[in-house]
Amino acid sequence: MKYKRVLLKISGEALKGDRESGLDYEAAGNLALEISKLYNTGIEIGVVLGGGNIFRGGSAKKSFERTPADQIGMLATLMNGIALQQAIKQVGIDARLITALECPKVAESYNWEKSMRHLSMGRILIFVGGTGHPYFTTDTCAALRASEIHADVLLKCTTHVDGIYSKDPRKFTDAQKYEKVSYRKMLDEKLGILDLTAVTLCMENKIPIRICNLYAGTFIEALEGKFGSIVMEEG
Ligand code: UDP
């Protein structure tokens, strides 16, 4: 494995399995197993979990104010984190739940120095609560944490598309897939798979972003570039 430290961004939908929404034990177990295979290569792992299987702030636009709606979304990531932590512990690996939204009885509050120590001691970190602020997404949180922990790569796993396309492949049959795209092209053409704040942060901190479908193969294969797309500097 050419990378020493990775930040995995996993959408909340990965935890819903075949359900319409919510949490599925088997899906959490399968995800933990995949993470353990990657862990066993010796790489250090941080995970940023989404909450879309439970709640997305944007979905409440017409009913609630944005800030409380996003707070529900951030709390959803906490619930997902508890589930993933349990599942990872069940495969025998020490995983710590780290939150940006204070919740001391449930998870450790985010502290950079402590997180770095956990990582160097071989613990998997599950970052939840997003950035702790509304108006952001867990993609941006992933770019932020990847920058802070000096990850060599950010691997974003989606549940619907399998890489970066010129337009949404679910709507347009002539959408063209890109294996490799520059940060600049992602920003200029607003290629929608990742939010633009996240791309900007990764560009500034020179962190390559791999995009793949969670079900296309293993995390190891994804990091080896066997499928998916990559966003990096030109040349
Ligand atoms: N969220 C937020 N601030 C953050 C990260 C997330 O307010 O820094 C909220 C937002 O409402 C978002 C929800 O948490 O819709 C769940 O996150 P996201 O939609 O990114 O989850 P995913 O789509 O990856 O499952």
Side-chain angles (χ1 to χ4, degrees):
M1 178 63 58
K2 69 173 175 175
Y3 301 117
K4 281 163 95 173
R5 186 173 284 177
V6 62
L7 193 294
L8 296 180
K9 159 69 213 294
I10 317 256
S11 4
E13 290 189 355
L15 291 174
K16 77 175 173 57
D18 295 331
R19 295 161 183 254
E20 276 289 299
S21 62
L23 274 169
D24 180 81
Y25 305 120
E26 203 180 324
N30 290 340
L31 182 58
L33 201 62
E34 285 309 319
I35 292 175
S36 74
K37 289 181 197 159
L38 181 62
Y39 178 84
N40 290 335
T41 66
I43 197 168
E44 292 170 357
I45 303 175
V47 181
V48 167
L49 258 186
N53 55 322
I54 300 172
F55 195 84
R56 283 199 180 92
S59 68
K61 237 188 271 178
K62 293 192 187 116
S63 313
F64 301 154
E65 287 266 0
R66 177 72 186 262
T67 297
D70 279 342
Q71 286 166 342
I72 303 176
M74 287 186 269
L75 287 169
T77 70
L78 243 125
M79 292 194 263
N80 281 340
I82 299 171
L84 184 62
Q85 184 188 30
Q86 285 303 299
I88 293 179
K89 286 194 168 184
Q90 273 161 22
V91 294
I93 300 170
D94 190 359
R96 302 294 166 101
L97 192 59
I98 313 284
T99 181
L101 198 68
E102 304 268 316
C103 194
K105 288 194 175 156
V106 176
E108 194 176 310
S109 294
Y110 177 67
N111 173 287
W112 174 77
E113 215 169 337
K114 243 177 147 181
S115 293
M116 295 300 267
R117 204 170 330 123
H118 282 317
L119 281 171
S120 63
M121 291 173 87
R123 294 165 185 153
I124 293 180
L125 297 189
I126 307 169
F127 295 111
V128 293
T131 58
H133 300 284
Y135 293 88
F136 287 100
T137 65
T138 49
D139 278 357
T140 299
C141 175
L144 176 64
R145 296 288 179 248
S147 305
E148 290 191 271
I149 67 168
H150 310 304
D152 301 304
V153 61
L154 191 168
L155 176 61
K156 171 173 161 121
C157 305
T158 72
T159 49
H160 33 270
V161 287
D162 63 347
I164 301 165
Y165 285 82
S166 54
K167 42 194 167 178
D168 189 343
R170 291 167 300 174
K171 292 188 194 143
F172 303 94
T173 48
D174 62 338
Q176 189 196 340
K177 186 174 173 186
Y178 303 122
E179 305 250 304
K180 190 172 160 185
V181 191
S182 67
Y183 301 110
R184 186 45 54 208
K185 187 177 170 82
M186 286 289 286
L187 294 173
D188 290 348
E189 297 182 20
K190 297 188 171 59
L191 299 175
I193 186 81
L194 202 73
D195 76 59
L196 301 182
T197 318
V199 176
T200 307
L201 255 177
C202 286
M203 178 171 77
E204 281 170 359
N205 295 296
K206 299 189 172 47
I207 298 173
I209 313 166
R210 277 212 166 273
I211 314 274
C212 72
N213 188 294
L214 186 65
Y215 309 116
T218 65
F219 291 131
I220 301 170
E221 289 164 339
L223 288 174
E224 285 170 351
K226 296 204 170 136
F227 52 85
S229 306
I230 187 161
V231 189
M232 55 193 293
E233 281 185 334
E234 279 166 79

